[in-house]
Every structure is written in structure tokens, then in C-alpha cells.
Amino acid sequence: MRTQRMTLSVSVLALLTLAACGTESGSGSGKGSGEGGDSVQSDVPVTGVAWRVDSVTVGGKKTEAPEGARLEIDPKGRATADFGCNHISVDARVKGDRITLGKPVTTQMACDVKIEKFEKAAIDAMGGEHTAKLSGDRLTLTTEGGDSMALSEEKPADLVGTRWAVTTLLSGETATTVPADLPKEKAPHLTLSEDGTVEGNSGCNSFRGQATVKGSTITFGPVAGTRKMCPEAEMATERAVLAALDGKVTYTIKGKALTLTAADGKGIGATVTPAGGGSGSQHG
């Protein structure tokens, strides 16, 4: 079983923040001024924006990113990245238009060869100090050696009507990746509907129940499901998923990523299922 464990910050899917010197971040235009006339400007707010990785350029060679590649940095100095396979975490320091990223800590899942190649290039492009340049909803991070990463703002997906593939099981500050070798038809997922219901698969059995959305919370009612028995890895995933769909939880959506968190810190992380993909892809 290829379950990988990794301790991240509570906000597994954090916010990318650039604070220009002497300027506070806000919900307006996101403009700021640096010292010596340098400036970082954007037509969209920078704080609170989810960023999609579009491509990386290493050694003059540009590589397009796979679907679902993301990079996020929180204001507390921690960056998380997902380039299509592994979860990656690094220390991050932001000052003006400069971002310094430390040594990456990554899970060690087996990846598709093409994705693995991009992931290596992206990790190489992450190292050291970067200059950040914003143009509209696009952000470019460039190292002193000329390697760069192109990102763009990822619009939040709709909570209702979206098929969410569960990728991560949360328990306090610990995030456990859903086993990648679950049978395709049992990969956990959920969909909330306009009629106030939720349905999906919890890792072994299919389920259906009530879901009341109010503000930033969802209150899940009793969930009814089939009663098949499955191998322990599938049953363990199912127990964790169903525990997250019990009672009142807080939800956040950053781009294509959904997080459900209960008051005790337990919950799940999910991503939008790729178009035409019927499975709970690990990184949609």
C-alpha cells in the first residue's frame, strides 16, 4: 500500500501572499510599493488567491505543467506544492518582491514518468531566492540563475454540483494521502446537490445523506449507504471519510481544492474530478 504520511501546517492548502515593503495586503487591487521605486502590482488581490502552475523553465527548457499542478505559500512562512503526484512542503520567506524557498520535503509516491519528469523540473525551479512579478492574474517566479515558474490565478470551483474527489484525510496537523491503489470504482468522492443532499462513495460503499450549507459551514445529516465489506485499506479510508461527513464542518474552497474540517481538526481534502474522469484521481 502506498499510503504516504506527511505533517503539514493546519492549512494544507495555504494562500500565496506577497507583501510589498511598507504596504498592507487587502481585498482591493492588491497593489503595493517596494523600496527604491520597485513595485509589485496586480489587477486581482494577491492575498487569498489560489495559484495554478502553468509551466516551469529550467536551464532554458520550458515544460508545461500537468493538470492540477499547484503552488501555495501561507503568510506564516510555509509553502506547499502539488505538481501532479507528491505533496511537497518547504520553508518560505517573503520580503517585498523576493521569495526565498528552502529545501523541499516531499512524499515518495510512484508517479507517471511524464509527471515525475515535470515534478523534478519544478522542484529544481523552486530552490533559492526568486523575484516575483505580477501581471493581471498571472505570477512569475524567477531565480537568480534564470529558472522560472509561471502561475496563474485559479478561480474557485462551485461547492454545489461539483464532483469532489477525496485526496487527503486530515487529523489535526497530520495529512494522510488516500491510497493510490484503491479500486477505481471505490475511489472516495462526493457531490452536493441543490436539493440539499450529498452522495458519493466513501472508499468501499456508496452513500447518500442530507447536507445543509450555511455561510462557511455544512451540516451533514445521517448518511445511509450500502453495507459491503472491503479490504482493510478501503475500510480505513471509508471510516475516515464518513467521520468527516458527520455533523457540522467548516469548508473552504481554494481554486479546485475543497477542505472540510470539523471542530476537532479532523476532515478531508478534495479536488475537482478532471473532465471525463470517473475516478477519484489523486490530484485532479
Side-chain angles (χ1 to χ4, degrees):
M1 180 176 72
R2 292 176 290 173
T3 303
Q4 302 294 328
R5 299 184 61 85
M6 181 176 180
T7 300
L8 307 177
S9 61
V10 174
S11 177
V12 178
L13 300 173
L15 310 178
L16 180 58
T17 303
L18 297 176
C21 295
T23 305
E24 296 181 355
S25 299
S27 58
S29 64
K31 297 180 179 180
S33 299
E35 296 178 356
D38 294 334
S39 65
V40 175
Q41 296 185 336
S42 175
D43 295 335
V44 298
V46 175
T47 302
V49 175
W51 298 99
R52 179 182 68 245
V53 180
D54 297 321
S55 65
V56 296
T57 301
V58 176
K61 183 178 180 180
K62 180 178 179 181
T63 305
E64 298 296 329
E67 176 69 26
R70 299 176 182 90
L71 171 68
E72 301 161 0
I73 304 175
D74 69 17
K76 297 180 180 180
R78 197 67 182 170
T80 57
D82 180 341
F83 299 128
C85 182
N86 286 287
H87 291 299
I88 299 160
S89 180
V90 301
D91 290 327
R93 185 172 70 252
V94 179
K95 185 176 181 180
D97 65 348
R98 298 298 175 95
I99 299 176
T100 303
L101 300 177
K103 183 178 180 180
V105 176
T106 177
T107 56
Q108 298 294 326
M109 292 190 292
C111 311
D112 174 84
V113 174
K114 189 174 182 179
I115 291 177
E116 189 175 83
K117 184 177 180 180
F118 175 82
E119 186 171 84
K120 182 182 184 304
I123 291 175
D124 288 343
M126 286 178 68
E129 184 177 272
H130 300 71
T131 298
K133 291 185 179 180
L134 284 157
S135 177
D137 61 356
R138 296 182 181 276
L139 171 68
T140 302
L141 303 179
T142 306
T143 68
E144 292 181 346
D147 294 340
S148 65
M149 183 176 296
L151 308 99
S152 58
E153 179 191 10
E154 190 171 58
K155 303 295 184 181
D158 293 326
L159 173 67
V160 175
T162 297
R163 189 178 190 276
W164 296 100
V166 180
T167 59
T168 311
L169 308 177
L170 309 175
S171 182
E173 296 187 356
T174 299
T176 304
T177 304
V178 170
D181 52 2
L182 287 181
K184 181 178 180 180
E185 68 277 7
K186 296 177 182 177
H189 63 87
L190 66 147
T191 302
L192 288 88
S193 301
E194 294 284 358
D195 62 2
T197 61
V198 60
E199 62 182 2
N201 191 292
S202 49
C204 174
N205 291 281
S206 58
F207 67 85
R208 183 179 175 85
Q210 297 296 311
T212 302
V213 180
K214 185 176 181 180
S216 61
T217 66
I218 305 172
T219 301
F220 292 101
V223 171
T226 54
R227 296 180 178 276
K228 295 180 294 183
M229 292 300 294
C230 299
E232 178 54 27
E234 297 167 28
M235 298 303 295
T237 296
E238 176 162 283
R239 289 191 292 270
V241 171
L242 292 179
L245 304 180
D246 183 16
K248 189 175 183 178
V249 303
T250 299
Y251 80 89
T252 58
I253 297 177
K254 300 300 178 185
K256 294 183 179 181
L258 168 70
T259 304
L260 303 179
T261 311
D264 62 2
K266 293 184 178 180
I268 56 176
T271 59
V272 175
T273 302
S279 70
S281 172
Q282 286 297 300
H283 301 280

